[in-house]
Amino acid sequence: MAERPTRQQAEEAVRTLIRWAGDDPSREGLRDTPARVTRAYEEFFAGYGQDPAEILKRTFSEVEGYDEMIVMSDIRFESHCEHHMVPIIGKAHVGYLPDKRVVGISKLARLVEVYARRLQVQEKMTVQIADTLQEILQPRGVAVVIEAAHQCMTTRGVHKPGVGLVTSRMVGAFRDDPSTRREFLAVLGRTGAGGLPNT
Ligand SMILES: [Zn+2]
């Protein structure tokens, strides 16, 4: 990975972009903008400094033989598309079929967050969440469905409001067993998952 620029260099880059947009970075309303933008970037892209394996490390192995599907639906996230660096806003639905071990439910949301807070392509993010969960937790299968609106499509270029993209990744039992996959999708249907957030 390339060496990280200093905060000062990052702020200077924002000033350049303001000039590129056609405005004057020294006018009063914009004077503190570079500092605000760099701070916002620290938040938007905090996922680079976080290790998903670390988040999933604490597991619970005594679940009284619970071996049914665990689904967390409607995990809202904000990400940024790596092509235009504008927001992707959506919801992730994550399910897995445990094999001896389970993780705290909040960990699934944090896993989504770690990958969302990076420059992303929705397809890639879907695969990263599913494959990381499979690799670390080693359940009998993982299912991830993501639905999101891409502001690069709604606010620029083709200007198509309300256009949403749905991606999914099925691993293990969710891929091999149609009844498991159906059960997962039925759970999403019952919880009313689906339908894009208003953006
Ligand atoms: Zn884009």
Side-chain angles (χ1 to χ4, degrees):
M1 180 112 24
E3 200 184 316
R4 196 170 192 227
T6 63
R7 183 176 298 274
Q8 203 180 353
Q9 286 171 324
E11 289 180 10
E12 194 46 49
V14 177
R15 270 179 218 106
T16 302
L17 284 175
I18 291 171
R19 282 198 299 274
W20 176 246
D23 213 321
D24 171 13
S26 68
R27 78 173 167 83
E28 204 188 339
L30 288 174
R31 214 171 292 153
D32 296 328
T33 298
R36 287 194 204 97
V37 172
T38 41
R39 279 200 299 276
Y41 265 45
E42 287 178 304
E43 211 175 297
F44 295 160
F45 302 113
Y48 288 110
Q50 293 165 348
D51 179 6
E54 199 60 37
I55 290 168
L56 296 174
K57 226 169 59 182
R58 247 194 80 208
T59 58
F60 308 98
S61 48
E62 283 176 42
V63 286
E64 306 278 339
Y66 184 87
D67 60 357
E68 297 295 324
M69 190 176 294
I70 293 173
V71 180
M72 190 171 187
S73 60
D74 293 296
I75 305 168
R76 191 195 143 91
F77 70 85
E78 290 123 40
S79 188
H80 287 78
C81 99
E82 69 178 35
H83 302 131
H84 304 93
M85 299 176 75
V86 294
I88 301 172
I89 296 177
K91 293 185 293 190
H93 315 292
V94 180
Y96 68 100
L97 204 51
D99 182 20
K100 299 183 192 77
R101 296 187 299 157
V102 298
V103 280
I105 197 105
S106 67
K107 300 298 174 70
L108 297 179
R110 284 196 56 205
L111 179 64
V112 170
E113 182 107 312
V114 167
Y115 285 116
R117 288 177 182 244
R118 297 178 183 194
L119 289 169
Q120 275 296 4
V121 171
Q122 187 178 326
E123 294 86 338
K124 181 173 77 179
M125 182 175 151
T126 309
V127 170
Q128 285 173 329
I129 294 166
D131 290 7
T132 302
L133 194 56
Q134 181 64 39
E135 195 185 306
I136 312 269
L137 197 60
Q138 301 194 339
R140 284 176 289 149
V142 170
V144 176
V145 171
I146 293 182
E147 39 192 334
H150 292 234
Q151 290 191 2
C152 58
M153 288 171 74
T154 57
T155 64
R156 57 159 293 286
V158 289
H159 290 278
K160 289 267 180 288
V163 169
L165 187 65
V166 179
T167 49
S168 68
R169 170 80 155 182
M170 304 282 159
V171 182
F174 292 89
R175 176 181 287 253
D176 303 332
D177 180 357
S179 69
T180 303
R181 188 166 53 238
R182 262 199 311 274
E183 189 187 333
F184 173 69
L185 296 173
V187 169
L188 296 192
R190 273 201 299 280
T191 59
L196 288 161
N198 293 320
T199 51

